Amino acid sequence: MSENNLRSKGKSLIVAEKNYIVLDTETTGFDPSKNELIEIAAIKYENYNKIDEFQTLIKPNEPISSYIQHLTGITNEMVENAPNIEEVLPKFLDFVGNDVFAHNAHFDINFLYDNVLRYCNVILNNDFIDTLRLSRKFFPQSDSHSLAAMCDMLEITNQNAHRALSDCQATNELYKIIANYQTELSDKAIQELQIEDENLFLNKRIAFKGTIKTFSEDTVFEIAKKCGAKPSEVLYRSSDYLVLGADTYSRY
C-alpha cells in the first residue's frame, strides 16, 4: 500500500510550479507516530520570488535527545519557552492555505499530516513537489540525492544545515535549478517524464533478500526487469526498494 493510500495527501507533482511554499521541519526522531515536531519553517514564493516566511520553534512534551540536539543544534533550553504544537499548527495552516508545497522528501509532509490531523482534525491535502524525487530524475549520476549531497554537487550554500529555515532556503535553490532544467525540456519530453513517473519501478534499484518461495530467483529478477527495474541480491545505499523473502528474519 502506498503512502498516498495510507494518508490522504495531495498529489505529488512532477512539473515545477512558479508559485509555491518551501517547507522544512525538525523533529525529535524519525517516526511520526512516536516523535514530535520541534521546529517548522515555510517560505512563500511567487514567480520564484520570496514574499513571506513562517518559522517557529515548538516545545515538545518529551526532552530532546542528545543526538537530535547535536544534529539540529536545537537544545532543550531553546524550546523551553517556545509555543506548543496546539498553538503553532493553526497559524501554520493559515500561512500555507492551499498553496503547493516544495520540499525535500515525504518525511516533512508525513509529520505535518499526522500532527495536523491529530491536533486540528484537518486533512493536510496540499499538492506537493518532492525535490528529492525530481533530483533522482535529473541527476541520476549522483550516489545520494539528500539535500546535503545535492548542495555539495551543485555548490549550493546551506549556512545552517538541519535548521528548518536554512534548509528551506537551500531547498529553494535546488528547486530553482530543477525548474530551470524543466524549462529546457520540450513538451514531448515533459510528457515522457510524466509517463515514466507513473511506473514506480522504472530504473529503480530493487534488492531481494531471503527466499521468495513462489518463484525462483531467476523468475523474480526477470519480472523486475520487465517492470523496468534493476534487480540485485545486494542491498546498497543507493537501493530504492528492499524486498524481503519469507526466511529473512530470525528470532535468534
Side-chain angles (χ1 to χ4, degrees), residues 192-208:
E192 289 174 352
L193 189 64
Q194 290 173 314
I195 292 172
E196 276 185 22
D197 199 63
E198 292 174 0
N199 183 349
L200 295 177
F201 302 108
L202 187 65
N203 294 320
K204 300 297 184 186
R205 297 177 176 88
I206 303 180
F208 292 92

Side-chain angles (χ1 to χ4, degrees), residues 36-73:
E36 300 177 82
L37 289 160
I38 53 175
E39 186 178 28
I40 298 176
I43 304 178
K44 188 176 293 188
Y45 294 88
E46 285 187 4
N47 199 27
Y48 302 113
N49 296 311
K50 176 181 173 180
I51 63 167
D52 203 358
E53 73 176 44
F54 175 95
Q55 186 276 332
T56 183
L57 292 171
I58 303 167
K59 184 177 181 178
N61 293 313
E62 300 294 331
I64 303 171
S65 70
S66 58
Y67 171 78
I68 296 297
Q69 290 186 68
H70 178 74
L71 178 67
T72 65

Side-chain angles (χ1 to χ4, degrees), residues 246-252:
D247 68 348
T248 301
Y249 287 111
S250 171
R251 58 185 294 188
Y252 300 106

Side-chain angles (χ1 to χ4, degrees), residues 5 34 55 86 98 125 131 150 152 178 180 190 217:
N5 287 330
K34 299 177 182 177
Q55 186 276 332
E86 291 92 341
N98 295 317
N125 58 3
T131 52
M150 288 293 97
D152 288 342
I178 291 171
N180 186 58
I190 287 288
E217 180 181 296

